[in-house]
Amino acid sequence: MATKTEAAPTSGGAGAKPAAQHFLQRIQLFSLLSGEECDAIVRRLKRRDFPPNHYVVREGAAGDSMYFITAGKCEVRKKDTSTGIEFLLNELGPGACFGEMALLTGQPRTASVVSTEPTTVGILKNDDFRELLLQHPKIGVSLTTILAERLQQASEQVGVEYMNLARLQLDPRVLGLLPEQTILHYKVLPVGFANNRLTLAMVNPDNILALDDVRRFVKGVMIEPVVCTADDFGKFMSGPYRTLMKKEEEKRAQAAKADGGVDEAVASAMTNTEAVLDTFQSDSLKDIDMEEVTEEPTASATELRSSAEDAPVVRLANAILALSVKRGASDIHMEPREKEMVVRFRIDGVLQVMQTLPKKVQMGLISRMKILAKLDIAEKRLPQDGRISVRLENRAIDFRVSTIPSKWGEKICMRILDKSNTMLGLDKLITHPATLERVREMAAQPYGILYVTGPTGSGKTTTLYSALAEVNDPDINISTAEDPIEYDLPGINQVQTHKDIGLDFARVLRAFLRQDPDVILVGETRDLETAKISVEAALTGHLVLTTLHANDAPGTFVRLDEMGIEPFLVSTSTIGIIAQRLARRLCQQCKEPYPADEMTLKYWGLPADPPVTFYKPAGCSVCGGSGYKGRIGIYEVLRMTSPVRAQVIKRANTDEIRETARADGMLTLKDYGVLLLKEGLTSTDEVLQCVVVQE
Ligand SMILES: [Zn+2]
């Protein structure tokens, strides 16, 4: 039995000082315990490691222990009984715990937890938990608080209105927003829709799971629960509901017929999308001017193609593309399952189910997407890559499309590249004036290397291009080597690397140097050769901008040293380093202020006086209920100064370099995160996730 547990979220180096707080103290249940007491608990934890995509706990299983995540990431999923699909409820990272309720009640697990990365958890068994309760009465105090809070939440919902279903005139289109199985399963009924608010009659208004599931069917709206009696609900469902829905079905069938005898499943899927999005949302999809700029494909006509060109399939495909852009998604996943097809969007870094389509739609829709991407629609056994270019509201948008064969059909994944570069501009990215000034100063240097570091998806490319846009001037020669080319920049020589034909970054870079460039952008420095040529280019009078995988700014020197670049060369060629992360931005419409307590302030290195207000996510129609809208950068900008240079040459460790850079005024990622917290731009969870918990 392993007893070793990591000293948790501060691993990785952003927190220069040892953790001020034991990681267990950040879990509400143990918040009142001392560090030693927490250590005693850690010794009782049983450590287990999970590879990605493994069940940590299964829904329905017996709940005899609670879990603490010490490293990695997990998803909480719950099975929808009517479709058998697992929905994503939440994502958990280091410091999170789960399973305490099952432990207390002895009831089976109400959700599954699945690892999405290599994950380490500490497990506390039932018997140990009971013993701990006896030994540490403070845990009991915390437990009482937690239960009291849950009780209060439940009682707050007692104030909801009562509604008599028999007296209402109900619109079948509103009733049709939820499938009958869901209505019967949760005993909920959509009874009204106005001003983006859905009135939901519920027999059990405190059924939070029901609300969560309803939100999955009706996206981006506020839900207003009202109470109805079980008797009332039963009467309505057995009588008026059937009559109303039957009439509506007949109407739909007629409409489908009028459409020219098209596939009914497609028609009803569309009716559903349109019912929600067109009829009720004022900014409907119809307002979007969707204009393809691709020429017609030259592929020979096949049966598949004709099925893909049915008007409803075309409209459905367009609606999915348009909606993804409108929602600000970065990726679209179209995933065939055994009995249906699921469309998921990645929004602000989180995958969300957008729609579940009938299986019949699958072939037509996939074929349509492949036609748009100029792929071979007859080839279904091999992966293919392509691109769809469209114009939406005068913006040029590219979808990078890839297909892979999966068990239940071809899966399509699309990365959305908005080439209109409306996001570019250092001043749009960096909100802190002093940090912005530093970056501008570094980008204005005539030669040297500027590194941008961070994990995948942290917005490195956007920062790099924004810096490039600032130096772009007709009388200088700028060349870029990229994979892929994510933005179109006027007046710049952009080259796409092709590894499979030997055209890698190093080779393109060498060719550039023969073409008299002033500024070179290298998409990524990932090998010694590329790193070496960049250093050479910098030392011979060129400005080089590039990205590198490193945890933080001081860590970049270690990374370069590991790659095999002499510290002396690094110290003379580097201008500076920008380390960055992207945090989800709180929805400014619905964020909720709360006074930060003493322990929180201490953790973030803030004095207890004067009082500080932090904000947490709530959820409204603007942000689709998530409480977050858009993202915001967290930056750590290190400038190469003589003291830093001296330390790099003598291979000082990252902590020493960090302290030296801080003396020069560098804000660490955590410092910058605290600034954003104080301004109410993001939440503590987000900063913890991005900054303290490192990859
Ligand atoms: Zn909101």
Side-chain angles (χ1 to χ4, degrees):
M1 185 202 289
T3 48
K4 202 183 134 283
T5 340
E6 280 179 42
T10 40
S11 64
K17 295 167 200 107
Q21 218 186 356
H22 196 284
F23 79 100
L24 281 183
Q25 289 170 328
R26 280 200 287 281
I27 295 167
Q28 196 180 356
L29 198 53
F30 302 117
S31 57
L32 297 175
L33 300 186
S34 70
E36 287 91 349
E37 287 172 309
C38 285
D39 281 336
I41 293 176
V42 166
R43 281 195 286 277
R44 284 176 186 265
L45 294 181
K46 192 171 149 197
R47 177 187 163 139
R48 270 197 72 185
D49 294 294
F50 292 89
N53 296 316
H54 273 68
Y55 279 96
V56 181
V57 305
R58 257 176 218 277
E59 188 176 343
D64 60 353
S65 32
M66 79 179 280
Y67 294 73
F68 306 87
I69 301 179
T70 56
K73 206 181 263 178
C74 294
E75 286 182 346
V76 182
R77 299 182 192 160
K78 180 157 182 65
K79 202 169 239 165
D80 173 51
T81 44
S82 57
T83 58
I85 299 174
E86 283 190 335
F87 287 110
L88 179 63
L89 290 186
N90 201 357
E91 284 186 300
L92 303 174
C97 67
F98 54 88
E100 77 277 30
M101 281 301 143
L103 190 75
L104 291 168
T105 60
Q107 298 289 314
R109 307 273 181 207
T110 52
S112 297
V113 177
V114 181
S115 59
T116 51
E117 287 176 8
T119 297
T120 304
V121 297
I123 302 175
L124 186 62
K125 286 286 196 192
N126 196 357
D127 296 343
D128 281 329
F129 183 71
R130 280 172 206 284
E131 237 182 280
L132 281 176
L133 268 180
L134 293 174
Q135 281 168 8
H136 304 284
K138 285 179 204 157
I139 296 180
V141 174
S142 299
L143 197 57
T144 317
T145 315
I146 295 173
L147 294 176
E149 281 172 1
R150 298 211 176 169
L151 252 164
Q152 195 189 343
Q153 277 170 8
S155 69
E156 269 166 13
Q157 276 153 355
V158 172
V160 292
E161 243 179 284
Y162 253 93
M163 182 167 269
N164 187 340
L165 293 176
R167 291 226 218 115
L168 290 174
Q169 279 278 21
L170 296 177
D171 182 340
R173 289 175 310 165
V174 175
L175 289 172
L177 285 171
L178 291 182
E180 192 176 345
Q181 296 104 303
T182 309
I183 291 179
L184 290 171
H185 180 68
Y186 290 118
K187 298 198 168 55
V188 295
L189 203 60
V191 292
F193 193 102
N195 299 325
N196 213 37
R197 290 179 94 90
L198 176 72
T199 309
L200 190 70
M202 303 176 78
V203 174
N204 305 309
D206 50 356
N207 188 342
I208 293 161
L209 285 179
L211 286 174
D212 281 348
D213 268 4
V214 169
R215 278 197 192 97
R216 272 180 211 103
F217 286 104
V218 194
K219 309 249 172 228
V221 303
M222 300 271 274
I223 296 177
E224 203 164 18
V226 294
V227 184
C228 64
T229 62
D231 190 38
D232 221 12
F233 178 84
K235 272 185 197 151
F236 180 80
M237 289 310 290
S238 57
Y241 179 80
R242 305 227 169 273
T243 325
L244 279 167
M245 294 319 279
K246 207 172 166 205
K247 268 192 208 155
E248 184 64 11
E249 223 165 81
E250 280 163 10
K251 247 197 245 168
R252 275 188 202 178
Q254 267 173 4
K257 226 182 200 170
D259 230 341
V262 289
D263 185 348
E264 202 182 301
V266 178
S268 90
M270 271 312 288
T271 320
N272 215 343
T273 325
E274 285 182 346
V276 180
L277 296 161
D278 276 9
T279 320
F280 300 124
Q281 307 279 35
S282 56
D283 48 352
S284 77
L285 285 176
K286 281 177 194 150
D287 298 339
I288 295 181
D289 170 30
M290 176 101 184
E291 163 200 331
E292 285 165 30
V293 292
T294 42
E295 327 82 79
E296 272 303 294
T298 48
S300 62
T302 66
E303 227 175 287
L304 285 173
R305 191 170 147 181
S306 69
S307 95
E309 285 181 351
D310 277 350
V313 174
V314 171
R315 280 194 295 149
L316 182 60
N318 287 356
I320 290 170
L321 296 179
L323 191 61
S324 70
V325 174
K326 231 171 121 67
R327 290 283 167 91
S330 59
D331 303 83
I332 306 172
H333 293 252
M334 302 172 70
E335 304 166 327
R337 306 260 168 105
E338 186 179 4
K339 293 198 173 87
E340 70 270 301
M341 177 163 179
V342 177
V343 179
R344 299 202 288 172
F345 287 175
R346 187 177 294 280
I347 300 174
D348 297 337
V350 181
L351 264 181
Q352 306 173 6
V353 174
M354 293 313 288
Q355 206 174 15
T356 303
L357 298 167
K359 193 76 180 166
K360 285 185 203 166
V361 179
Q362 181 179 314
M363 195 172 76
L365 187 59
I366 299 269
S367 299
R368 175 65 191 163
M369 291 301 187
K370 286 169 76 180
I371 288 173
L372 286 174
K374 302 192 195 81
L375 300 178
D376 178 358
I377 49 175
E379 178 55 78
K380 293 177 177 174
R381 294 156 308 171
L382 293 174
Q384 297 186 63
D385 294 307
R387 192 178 266 256
I388 299 174
S389 299
V390 299
R391 289 197 77 79
L392 266 177
E393 292 166 335
N394 276 326
R395 279 151 68 200
I397 292 160
D398 269 16
F399 297 82
R400 206 167 77 227
V401 182
S402 68
T403 71
I404 50 162
S406 76
K407 191 175 175 192
W408 307 113
E410 276 178 292
K411 175 185 186 273
I412 291 197
C413 183
M414 302 191 198
R415 159 65 47 106
I416 301 160
L417 305 172
D418 184 350
K419 298 200 295 178
S420 59
N421 62 42
T422 46
M423 266 310 289
L424 293 185
L426 288 174
D427 51 345
K428 290 200 187 97
L429 301 174
I430 306 174
T431 47
H432 182 243
T435 303
L436 174 64
E437 194 46 47
R438 274 177 163 238
V439 173
R440 287 203 153 134
E441 202 179 276
M442 298 194 309
Q445 298 297 313
Y447 59 88
I449 308 182
L450 181 55
Y451 293 98
V452 181
T453 76
T456 311
S458 58
K460 297 189 292 273
T461 318
T462 311
T463 304
L464 219 50
Y465 278 93
S466 297
L468 200 60
E470 300 226 339
V471 299
N472 191 4
D473 194 303
D475 43 286
I476 61 170
N477 179 5
I478 300 180
S479 303
T480 75
E482 304 169 65
D483 182 26
I485 295 178
E486 288 186 35
Y487 300 95
D488 284 338
L489 293 175
I492 290 180
N493 316 301
Q494 292 175 279
V495 175
Q496 161 86 53
T497 60
H498 285 284
K499 216 170 176 186
D500 41 348
I501 56 165
L503 190 63
D504 54 13
F505 284 118
R507 189 153 170 198
V508 175
L509 202 46
R510 252 184 264 115
F512 279 163
L513 289 175
R514 293 192 287 269
Q515 297 230 338
D516 181 34
D518 298 297
V519 180
I520 300 170
L521 182 149
V522 183
E524 193 187 341
T525 301
R526 52 184 156 206
D527 53 76
L528 175 61
E529 210 186 350
T530 309
K532 257 187 181 163
I533 307 171
S534 299
V535 167
E536 234 168 76
L539 293 176
T540 51
H542 305 92
L543 177 62
V544 180
L545 307 176
T546 187
T547 71
L548 189 84
H549 265 272
N551 258 342
D552 55 9
T556 305
F557 297 117
V558 177
R559 182 85 189 86
L560 288 166
D561 194 12
E562 281 168 0
M563 274 184 162
I565 305 284
E566 274 299 307
F568 173 73
L569 291 177
V570 172
S571 77
T572 45
S573 60
T574 305
I575 299 171
I577 298 154
I578 304 170
Q580 70 174 78
R581 299 287 188 276
L582 276 185
R584 287 190 290 167
R585 189 192 189 101
L586 278 170
C587 171
Q588 299 297 306
Q589 205 70 25
C590 64
K591 65 179 181 183
E592 272 175 16
Y594 65 96
D597 61 46
E598 202 176 317
M599 206 177 280
T600 309
L601 290 173
K602 196 171 153 203
Y603 178 75
W604 293 105
L606 294 170
D609 192 54
V612 179
T613 303
F614 281 175
Y615 292 82
K616 60 183 174 188
C620 69
S621 60
V622 173
C623 55
S626 71
Y628 292 99
K629 186 136 180 73
R631 295 208 266 185
I632 188 158
I634 299 179
Y635 302 91
E636 176 174 291
V637 181
L638 182 147
R639 177 160 69 176
M640 183 59 85
T641 57
S642 326
V644 173
R645 190 167 291 132
Q647 290 195 320
V648 171
I649 291 175
K650 65 167 203 189
R651 292 194 162 100
N653 66 37
T654 49
D655 288 347
E656 290 174 280
I657 298 176
R658 184 180 303 110
E659 284 318 308
T660 309
R662 285 183 91 166
D664 176 48
M666 177 183 88
L667 297 179
T668 62
L669 287 166
K670 188 175 170 184
D671 297 335
Y672 199 99
V674 171
L675 283 181
L676 299 181
L677 289 179
K678 289 207 281 193
E679 286 178 50
L681 290 169
T682 190
S683 67
T684 52
D685 284 352
E686 281 296 301
V687 179
L688 268 177
Q689 190 70 26
C690 294
V691 175
V692 185
V693 183
Q694 304 218 333
E695 289 201 331

